Amino acid sequence: MFTLDDTQQQTSRDQAQASLDQAKASLAQEEVNLKFLTIELNRQTGLANANAGIPSTRDQAENSARQSREHIAQLQAQISQMAASLGGADYSLSQRRIVAQTEGSVEDLYFHPGEYVGASTNVVSVLPPASIYVRFFVPETEFASVHLGQKVQVSCDGCKPVEAKITFIASQQEYTPPVIFSVGSREKLVFKAEARAPGGLPLHPGQPVEVRPL
């Protein structure tokens, strides 16, 4: 949907990646170094076994190989920690990219690129298709014939009639709203009702419709 300013998070992520790459390069170099040190240690051991080598030289070769192995173990531990840090940096960066949890149409936009947005502030309004329903008003004289779960037909200009079920009926009557799309309604008192369909109704918010019982 939109992306929050991620300059700081991107920089942290790049630094974590660079540190990890450098540590991996150092590990690869040290592993090559250990191979040469191991070859030298084996050579000095062979000379010592043949009484042709110098003991101190053999000891030095063994000490160098041991230090290299310890260094490799340290680098491997650092790489594990750096990989975890990189994962955390990736997560922080991903949280700057806001993705809607459901499909729907954008109904309102409260901020524009470059504007400051405070924490826990709405940025955009999304209307999922399943949330689209019709609200209509039942005349007092017909209220007794209306019940929850009743099927109704919803139609509008230029659209095919669709079937819906009444999911809400107000318990209190009210006066006819000043803006009501029914030129033939003369009733003063009405009951508000709502009808829905699985997956929502193929209508636009505020679109005038006609509701008839089935």
Side-chain angles (χ1 to χ4, degrees), residues 106-153:
V106 175
E107 295 299 312
D108 206 348
L109 185 64
Y110 306 121
F111 292 89
H112 298 278
E115 294 182 330
Y116 175 79
V117 181
S120 302
T121 302
N122 293 330
V123 175
V124 63
S125 174
V126 177
L127 178 63
S131 297
I132 298 178
Y133 63 94
V134 295
R135 177 177 294 167
F136 58 100
F137 297 88
V138 181
E140 184 182 20
T141 55
E142 300 178 14
F143 179 71
S145 63
V146 177
H147 57 84
L148 291 175
Q150 180 179 349
K151 294 182 179 180
V152 295
Q153 183 185 75

Side-chain angles (χ1 to χ4, degrees), residues 151-164:
K151 294 182 179 180
V152 295
Q153 183 185 75
V154 181
S155 59
C156 62
D157 293 339
C159 62
K160 294 182 179 180
V162 293
E163 185 178 299

Side-chain angles (χ1 to χ4, degrees), residues 25-205:
S26 297
L27 176 61
Q29 182 178 358
E30 190 60 39
E31 288 175 340
V32 172
N33 185 45
L34 178 59
K35 290 181 180 179
F36 286 108
L37 292 175
T38 301
I39 293 174
E40 177 62 18
L41 175 60
N42 292 336
R43 190 178 73 85
Q44 292 297 332
T45 300
L47 292 174
N49 292 336
N51 296 321
I54 301 175
S56 60
T57 303
R58 194 268 176 191
D59 292 342
Q60 179 63 36
E62 183 177 11
N63 185 53
S64 297
R66 178 180 55 79
Q67 290 179 347
S68 179
R69 288 192 293 269
E70 291 175 351
H71 190 201
I72 287 176
Q74 292 175 354
L75 287 172
Q76 289 173 337
Q78 291 176 2
I79 287 174
S80 296
Q81 294 177 352
M82 291 177 178
S85 297
L86 178 60
D90 281 332
Y91 176 77
S92 297
L93 181 60
S94 69
Q95 293 303 294
R96 308 301 288 180
R97 300 181 179 91
I98 309 303
V99 179
Q101 300 300 312
T102 182
E103 295 183 355
S105 59
V106 175
E107 295 299 312
D108 206 348
L109 185 64
Y110 306 121
F111 292 89
H112 298 278
E115 294 182 330
Y116 175 79
V117 181
S120 302
T121 302
N122 293 330
V123 175
V124 63
S125 174
V126 177
L127 178 63
S131 297
I132 298 178
Y133 63 94
V134 295
R135 177 177 294 167
F136 58 100
F137 297 88
V138 181
E140 184 182 20
T141 55
E142 300 178 14
F143 179 71
S145 63
V146 177
H147 57 84
L148 291 175
Q150 180 179 349
K151 294 182 179 180
V152 295
Q153 183 185 75
V154 181
S155 59
C156 62
D157 293 339
C159 62
K160 294 182 179 180
V162 293
E163 185 178 299
K165 287 185 179 181
I166 297 177
T167 57
F168 169 80
I169 301 175
S171 58
Q172 297 292 330
Q173 58 188 357
E174 59 184 274
Y175 284 101
T176 304
V179 180
I180 186 169
F181 302 101
S182 178
V183 295
S185 179
R186 298 181 179 179
E187 292 77 9
K188 295 297 183 180
L189 293 176
V190 293
F191 289 84
K192 181 170 62 177
E194 295 175 358
R196 300 174 183 265
L201 293 168
L203 302 169
H204 297 286

